Amino acid sequence: MTAADRLSALENLDAETLCARAETALSALVEVMNRETTYLRAGHMRDATALTNEKTQLAQDYVTLARAVQRAAPRLKDEAPVRVEALRRGHEALATQMAENLRVLATARSVTETLLTDVARAAGNTTRPKTYGATGQAPAATPDAMKGISINRAL
């Protein structure tokens, strides 16, 4: 079954079922993003990272359902206006949660980069000579001095 076939099958669901499935996917996505944001704020990067696959799958599911809802919107507005309004409000809540999640992710990344840069700078500074030579200049670093450290900037 192709993606177009799956989307068409979703569009053809009765209004209540399609809206209910979209609401379920939306709620699950908001919940996992909220957990991720909470973990990031607490500095629990591994716990937050462990949610990546689940969040990705939920986002894909929600996008597919949102497309089906969008394509069937005229029919859904006639058959289930209350459910469509609930979906609209839920989508607004998702947008708010996503903005907060992205802000916290950006802050966590910035803090991590700053910390790693400071550690690398401090590690490099410890190997520099702290005295002056006979010429009044600091001697050159020895070949066995630390050249730096590698930083993986992926968060």
Side-chain angles (χ1 to χ4, degrees):
M1 182 181 247
T2 67
D5 293 336
R6 285 190 299 273
L7 187 58
S8 179
L10 287 172
E11 282 177 58
N12 292 325
L13 291 173
D14 67 274
E16 287 293 320
T17 302
L18 178 55
C19 289
R21 288 177 71 178
E23 286 177 29
T24 300
L26 176 61
S27 295
L29 181 56
V30 167
E31 191 274 329
V32 79
M33 289 181 74
N34 187 44
R35 278 191 293 148
E36 181 183 53
T37 302
T38 301
Y39 285 144
L40 289 170
R41 279 193 182 122
H44 300 189
M45 300 302 182
R46 286 190 181 152
D47 292 330
T49 302
L51 296 175
T52 300
N53 290 338
E54 180 182 3
K55 184 173 82 168
T56 299
Q57 184 61 54
L58 289 170
Q60 288 172 347
D61 293 347
Y62 175 67
V63 166
T64 300
L65 286 160
R67 281 190 188 134
V69 167
Q70 187 177 29
R71 289 172 56 161
R75 176 176 66 88
L76 297 178
K77 286 178 185 174
D78 290 340
E79 296 175 16
V82 174
R83 297 300 290 260
V84 170
E85 180 58 26
L87 274 173
R88 186 191 62 73
R89 285 191 312 272
H91 186 75
E92 288 174 3
L94 174 64
T96 301
Q97 181 62 41
M98 285 178 70
E100 178 66 10
N101 185 267
L102 290 172
R103 187 185 66 73
V104 171
L105 279 169
T107 300
R109 182 179 178 142
S110 176
V111 167
T112 302
E113 283 186 4
T114 301
L115 179 64
L116 290 174
T117 300
D118 289 349
V119 167
R121 189 174 294 121
N125 284 342
T126 61
T127 61
R128 287 167 126 175
K130 297 184 179 21
T131 60
Y132 292 102
T135 63
Q137 301 292 322
T142 59
D144 60 340
M146 180 182 276
K147 303 275 190 248
I149 60 175
S150 175
I151 299 173
N152 181 351
R153 292 182 181 262
L155 178 62

